[in-house]
């Protein structure tokens, strides 16, 4: 990817619609596919063009959309469409933000997550003045129809509601993605009318208008699977299934072993190096990187974490945001790690919580260890040096540190720093009472017998 943004391209993502068929209080584009809001998929496709500017048009739930988009990409601008008067009207709300821009504009939908980078690159590279992304629909249904001329150029787009029988018989459909120069859009957007079956300002009228004025309009086609739009929960579930099927296939093709591919759930931004092994029922949230040769056993939940080469994780481990596992680290069953750095060779085998901690290289964390990082109001850090040995069932009451080569006794509640090479003991001294267990048992048995008589 070039260092300089592509000054010739800007992207507008339409995301103002209500999505009433979702039956949701959440704006449609914030529903997730691959652990990332759908608008994030459109933003990722946009980023692949390295555009000079990206604008999201928000309307329904604009506040929430703005927040989510800000988190996904702080450089993206938001245009507000107060009333949803049509796709043409939506683009018109974004154009003032491009008043000084003269390159190509590509319009995407926030609810259409699968448009590929290659397809967008083809559209940008096309020489026609307006380029529309079309597809041969298995069932053309209610899509807009692309009417082509004898040269295969695009004559006009006709919306389903406005089409006659002959036009409805056309199987080449409009995906909604369109590319045109900013100048052309500025010239024709004001000429759009709403005298049609929906009473909306259709973006799809632009090619016909531009052609009538002597410009050339063309169609780039893609596979129907790329154009899948989400309008209902059923389609959301289908989109998720398609996304996962693709990611699993990509991972396998890239040299990653998935022992039970159909049970592994990836996120949009999951990175896995070759020769990594992922066991069954592993769930990826956003922001996970696994380096080559690491192994994740079954039933792990991973989010916002980094697993280095040679590390083994799970089964049944949970890595939360900020978990950084160095080379050859071992995190075993029922271990949770959050916002903690585990240096090279650290072993945390069983039943442990590490939060807001740094563990030095080759330290061993015994079963049942807990960093008590939260006092009910604030979070505190635990620092453990290199080659330390934390005894089983140690409570590390943060803020606290354990030095290089130090140990803690099993069952200790560590509230003071343990210096390097020291043993920290924080537990009651053991006392043995000879014969007492036997006497207690006898007394209890007699009690039980005498109760049975009543
Ligand atoms: C649109 C196309 C149709 C195409 C279909 C593909 C038009 C007029 N029609 O129809 O040719 O086959 O997509 O799915 O463009 N939106 C706004 N503001 C608005 C209206 C829509 O932001 O005022 C956004 C929606 O949130 C959605 C996208 O634009 O992401 C498409 O709108 P939608 O109403 O779904 O268009 P369709 O009727 O499906
Ligand atoms: Ca739609």
């Amino acid at each position: 990817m070039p260092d300089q943004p592509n000054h010739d391209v800007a992207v507008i993502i339409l995301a103002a619609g209500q999505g009433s068929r979702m039956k949701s209080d959440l704006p449609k584009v914030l529903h997730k596919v691959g652990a990332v809001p759908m608008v994030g998929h459109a933003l990722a496709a946009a980023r692949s063009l390295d555009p000079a500017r990206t604008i999201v048009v928000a309307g329904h739930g604009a506040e929430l959309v703005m927040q989510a988009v800000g988190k996904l990409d702080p450089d993206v601008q938001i245009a507000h469409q107060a009333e949803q008067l049509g796709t043409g009207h939506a683009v018109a709300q974004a154009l003032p933000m491009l008043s000084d821009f003269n390159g190509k504009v590509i319009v995407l939908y926030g609810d259409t997550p699968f448009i590929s980078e290659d397809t967008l690159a083809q559209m940008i590279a096309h020489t026609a003045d307006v380029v529309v992304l079309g597809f041969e629909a298995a069932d053309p249904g209610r899509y807009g129809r692309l009417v082509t001329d004898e040269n295969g150029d695009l004559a006009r787009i006709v919306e389903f509601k406005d089409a006659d029988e002959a036009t409805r018989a056309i199987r080449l459909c409009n995906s909604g993605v369109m590319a045109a120069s900013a100048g052309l859009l500025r010239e024709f957007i004001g000429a759009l009318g709403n005298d049609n079956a929906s009473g909306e300002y259709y973006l799809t009228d632009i090619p016909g208008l531009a052609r009538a004025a002597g410009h050339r309009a063309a169609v780039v086609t893609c596979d129907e699977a790329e154009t899948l739009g989400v309008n209902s929960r059923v389609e959301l579930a289908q989109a998720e299934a398609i996304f996962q099927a693709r990611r699993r296939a990509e991972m396998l093709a890239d040299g990653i072993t998935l022992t039970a591919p159909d049970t592994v759930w990836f996120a949009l931004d999951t990175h896995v190096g070759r020769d990594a092994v992922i066991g069954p029922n592993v769930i990826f949230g956003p922001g996970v990187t696994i380096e080559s040769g690491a192994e994740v056993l079954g039933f792990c939940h991973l989010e916002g974490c980094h697993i280095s080469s040679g590390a083994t994780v799970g089964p049944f481990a949970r890595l939360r945001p900020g978990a950084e596992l160095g080379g050859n680290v071992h995190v075993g069953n029922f271990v949770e790690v959050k916002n903690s750095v585990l240096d090279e060779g650290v072993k945390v085998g069983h039943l442990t919580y590490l939060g807001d901690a740094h563990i030095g290289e080759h330290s061993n964390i015994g079963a049942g260890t807990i960093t008590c990082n939260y006092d009910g109001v604030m979070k505190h850090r635990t620092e453990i040096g290199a080659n330390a040995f934390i005894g089983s069932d140690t409570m590390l009451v943060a803020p606290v540190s354990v030095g290089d080569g130090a140990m803690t006794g099993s069952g200790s509640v560590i509230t003071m720093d343990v210096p390097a090479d020291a043993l920290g003991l924080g537990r009651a001294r053991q006392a043995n009472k000879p014969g007492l267990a036997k006497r207690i048992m006898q007394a209890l048995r007699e009690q039980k017998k005498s109760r049975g008589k009543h």
Side-chain angles (χ1 to χ4, degrees), residues 99-396:
S99 57
D100 57 341
F101 178 80
N102 290 309
K104 271 194 190 173
V105 177
I106 191 148
V107 179
L108 302 174
Y109 290 173
D111 60 1
T112 305
F114 296 131
I115 305 289
S116 75
E117 301 178 8
D118 286 353
T119 297
L120 293 182
Q122 258 187 67
M123 292 185 70
I124 293 294
H126 205 290
T127 54
D129 303 300
V130 188
V131 182
V132 168
L133 181 63
F135 61 101
E136 290 283 343
D139 168 17
R142 304 184 63 80
Y143 287 114
R145 303 299 204 267
L146 301 185
V147 181
T148 49
D149 67 12
E150 60 284 359
N151 301 321
D153 274 5
L154 180 60
R156 62 188 178 280
I157 305 178
V158 184
E159 288 304 303
F160 175 81
K161 283 190 192 170
D162 303 295
D164 57 23
E165 282 309 311
T167 310
R168 287 182 179 182
I170 295 172
R171 294 171 60 121
L172 185 61
C173 292
N174 175 28
S175 71
V177 181
M178 188 183 288
S181 71
L184 186 144
L185 287 176
R186 276 193 287 272
E187 188 180 343
F188 294 104
I189 207 90
L192 295 178
N194 64 353
D195 184 14
N196 52 48
S198 307
E200 289 185 359
Y201 297 91
Y202 293 160
L203 182 65
T204 46
D205 285 345
I206 294 273
L209 289 171
R211 210 171 122 107
H215 296 284
R216 182 178 167 218
V219 181
V220 161
T221 55
C222 70
D223 206 75
E224 182 168 8
E226 281 188 41
T227 69
L228 180 90
V230 171
N231 297 297
S232 65
R233 305 273 181 166
V234 169
E235 287 169 359
L236 183 68
Q238 286 166 348
E240 185 68 43
I242 291 169
F243 173 82
Q244 295 301 339
R246 284 189 193 177
R247 288 312 310 268
R248 291 163 189 155
E250 280 167 18
M251 292 284 173
L252 294 168
D254 287 349
I256 292 129
T257 295
L258 305 177
T259 45
D262 290 348
T263 67
V264 178
W265 295 75
F266 292 105
L268 177 63
D269 60 357
T270 302
H271 289 285
V272 184
R274 63 187 276 170
D275 284 327
V277 177
I278 313 284
N281 295 292
V282 175
I283 311 290
F284 288 85
V288 178
T289 299
I290 299 181
E291 286 182 14
S292 54
E295 185 168 10
V296 178
L297 302 176
F299 297 95
C300 290
H301 275 237
L302 312 175
E303 179 180 356
C305 61
H306 176 214
I307 301 173
S308 299
S309 289
T312 57
V313 176
F316 297 100
R318 181 167 182 212
L319 302 184
R320 292 171 53 204
E324 276 279 336
L325 274 48
N328 303 312
V329 162
H330 170 61
V331 167
N333 47 270
F334 306 108
V335 171
E336 174 178 338
V337 182
K338 184 217 76 171
N339 189 31
S340 293
V341 177
L342 279 54
D343 288 347
E344 168 85 29
V346 165
K347 288 190 164 54
V348 197
H350 344 257
L351 298 156
T352 289
Y353 172 60
L354 297 178
D356 305 308
H358 171 222
I359 319 289
E361 58 184 26
H362 301 297
S363 285
N364 187 95
I365 310 295
T369 296
I370 289 175
T371 53
C372 310
N373 60 327
Y374 185 50
D375 58 17
V377 180
M378 286 176 293
K379 301 279 173 66
H380 302 283
R381 292 196 56 81
T382 299
E383 286 287 340
I384 295 175
N387 302 303
F389 184 93
I390 305 300
S392 291
D393 199 29
T394 297
M395 301 293 117
L396 296 153

Side-chain angles (χ1 to χ4, degrees), residues 435-443 445:
L436 186 55
K438 194 172 179 184
R439 293 204 297 280
I440 289 172
M441 291 305 271
Q442 268 168 0
R445 282 196 196 102

